[in-house]
Amino acid sequence: MDELLPRSLTPSVLAVLVRRGADFAAAEDAVQDALVEAVRVWPKDAPRDPKGWLVTVAWRRFLDATRADASRRRREGLLDEEPVPGPASAVDDTLQLYFLCAHPSLTPSSAVALTLRAVGGLTTRQIARAYLVPEATMAQRISRAKRTVSGVRFDRPGDVSTVLRVLYLVFNEGYSGDVDLAAEAIRLTRQLAAAIDHPEVAGLLALMLLHHARRASRTAPDGSLVPLAEQDRGRWDTGMIAEGVGILQAALARDRLGEFQAQAAVAALHADAPTAQETDWVQIVEWYDELVGLTDNPVVRLNRAVAVGEADGPRAGLAELAALSDALPRHTAVAAYLHERDGDLSTAARLYAEAAHKAPTLAERDHLTRQAARLNAGLRR
């Protein structure tokens, strides 16, 4: 089924329905119905034009739903526009759909959540985790966003900053390994960078490339996580790093600093170090100071605490960590790492085990469990 239904197909079909006048919520429901029908029919009778088949079926499902409504005049107007069966356009509508979903009638956070769910393919749980809120809260937010745009004409696309936020979160979810969306996010950001001369678009593209360049070294052959300090830097994609650094330098030269450029600068400093021991942690702390000023994001402050621990010693890092909420994702794992560096191995082992129970992914849980076991084995000797 994955071969018959590529990931990029769903946004394209959704975009066709929206352009033809369907309100977003109804169009999404119709596309989902068409996908369910495809799962049932395609294994026995695969269409020669998958996108055209989905457009036709989804449009008919939308019309069926519209006929159930009281508006006969609207029904007849839509019926006249039914697409003629045949090969569908090969134009990639995904990036356009990202802009359409970032509608001015929505708050930026609601627009991001709606787009991640409807276009990015993320689950409500994944989006909630990215936003650091309960899944039920995010489900309500997405439902409210759908109600807000229900019946709205998508003729006023949203702003660039909202689209960048969506692309960033889609990339992060793909990079985590939970859903492989990283390459798609890079592709769309390249398209955006080619269309819009904006330093933050360039900053986001540079950030993605610098992170993606290390992807092959992030896991061992058995699937276990490899921390940055232990990664085989010979496996990093030097061509991708060079491209990312070049894009970043051109963006920074414009002197319009934004959060994605600052994050990319941190990634570039990691990429530039021949070994983990040669990492310029003092500069990294300075860039995190810039990020805190730009965003005041608690996760940024958490990452800054790690950098301070590397630059000024683990006790300085623990002092920074003490000022942050222990409810932050990975707070306990950071505390375990800093306590281990400070020589308090029993506390570190206990915190690694505690962090493993809170880990958002199986790979992280296994990694933290192994860290706890390693320290406990040493304490028993």
Side-chain angles (χ1 to χ4, degrees):
M1 188 65 192
D2 289 340
E3 292 76 11
L4 292 171
L5 188 59
R7 190 179 298 279
S8 61
L9 216 54
T10 301
S12 297
V13 175
L14 186 56
V16 171
L17 268 65
V18 169
R19 284 204 307 270
R20 291 182 176 275
D23 69 74
F24 189 88
E28 186 188 11
D29 289 342
V31 172
Q32 293 303 316
D33 286 346
L35 292 174
V36 171
E37 184 68 8
V39 170
R40 187 183 69 82
V41 172
W42 288 10
K44 298 178 181 178
D45 184 19
R48 283 177 293 182
D49 178 19
K51 179 179 175 181
W53 189 97
L54 283 172
V55 168
T56 300
V57 173
W59 186 254
R60 288 172 180 166
R61 293 300 174 94
F62 170 71
L63 290 180
D64 288 343
T66 303
R67 291 188 184 99
D69 192 71
S71 179
R72 180 179 178 83
R73 182 175 299 177
R74 176 63 178 158
R75 177 198 66 199
E76 291 175 349
L78 291 172
L79 189 59
D80 291 339
E81 299 175 10
E82 182 172 357
V84 177
S89 170
V91 174
D92 183 359
D93 301 298
T94 309
L95 189 58
Q96 179 192 13
L97 196 57
Y98 272 65
F99 273 95
L100 293 177
C101 287
H103 198 271
S105 64
L106 295 172
T107 63
S109 61
S110 294
V112 170
L114 178 63
T115 313
L116 288 172
R117 182 70 185 92
V119 187
L122 274 63
T123 66
T124 302
R125 176 175 297 178
Q126 290 167 331
I127 301 168
R129 189 172 68 225
Y131 269 90
L132 310 181
V133 300
E135 184 176 351
T137 300
M138 183 52 64
Q140 292 174 355
R141 185 179 300 178
I142 294 172
S143 294
R144 283 197 300 270
K146 287 183 179 181
R147 288 195 298 270
T148 298
V149 299
S150 181
V152 170
R153 291 289 298 186
F154 281 76
D155 54 359
R156 292 184 299 153
D159 63 5
V160 175
S161 62
T162 301
V163 174
L164 290 179
R165 177 67 50 199
V166 174
L167 289 169
Y168 176 59
L169 291 174
V170 169
F171 175 81
N172 276 347
E173 196 59 50
Y175 191 68
S176 74
D178 224 15
V179 179
D180 190 7
L181 297 173
E184 174 68 359
I186 291 174
R187 183 183 71 83
L188 293 173
T189 306
R190 283 191 188 279
Q191 287 186 8
L192 188 58
I196 300 177
D197 184 20
H198 192 298
E200 272 294 82
V201 176
L204 178 58
L205 179 57
L207 175 63
M208 290 178 173
L209 292 172
L210 289 165
H211 278 309
H212 208 59
R214 303 198 303 256
R215 187 168 190 178
S217 63
R218 291 182 71 245
T219 55
D222 63 0
S224 61
L225 288 181
V226 180
L228 177 61
E230 300 172 17
Q231 288 177 14
D232 178 1
R233 299 184 178 221
R235 298 185 65 197
W236 290 1
D237 188 328
T238 54
M240 193 176 293
I241 289 173
E243 181 186 5
V245 169
I247 292 170
L248 173 62
Q249 289 175 337
L252 291 175
R254 301 177 66 176
D255 199 23
R256 290 168 54 194
L257 184 64
E259 62 175 298
F260 294 121
Q261 295 169 72
Q263 288 190 59
V266 171
L269 286 166
H270 283 298
D272 188 53
T275 65
Q277 292 72 28
E278 295 173 85
T279 303
D280 191 341
W281 286 106
V282 173
Q283 271 204 72
I284 288 176
V285 171
E286 291 173 356
W287 278 112
Y288 274 125
D289 288 339
E290 295 281 0
L291 267 171
V292 168
L294 289 166
T295 69
D296 197 28
N297 186 302
V299 175
V300 170
R301 290 185 178 275
L302 183 69
N303 291 335
R304 182 183 178 278
V306 176
V308 169
E310 298 288 356
D312 301 329
R315 293 193 181 183
L318 286 167
E320 295 288 336
L321 192 64
L324 302 176
S325 169
D326 59 8
L328 278 172
R330 299 183 175 88
H331 182 285
T332 308
V334 170
Y337 173 74
L338 291 173
H339 276 290
E340 180 183 359
R341 288 203 61 228
D342 194 38
D344 188 353
L345 302 187
S346 60
T347 298
R350 175 178 58 80
L351 289 172
Y352 275 130
E354 184 181 330
H357 288 292
K358 302 176 181 178
T361 67
L362 181 61
E364 285 187 57
R365 188 189 70 188
D366 290 345
H367 171 71
L368 293 167
T369 300
R370 280 194 294 272
Q371 296 295 87
R374 173 179 58 81
L375 292 184
N376 283 324
L379 290 169
R380 286 193 294 268
R381 290 173 186 166

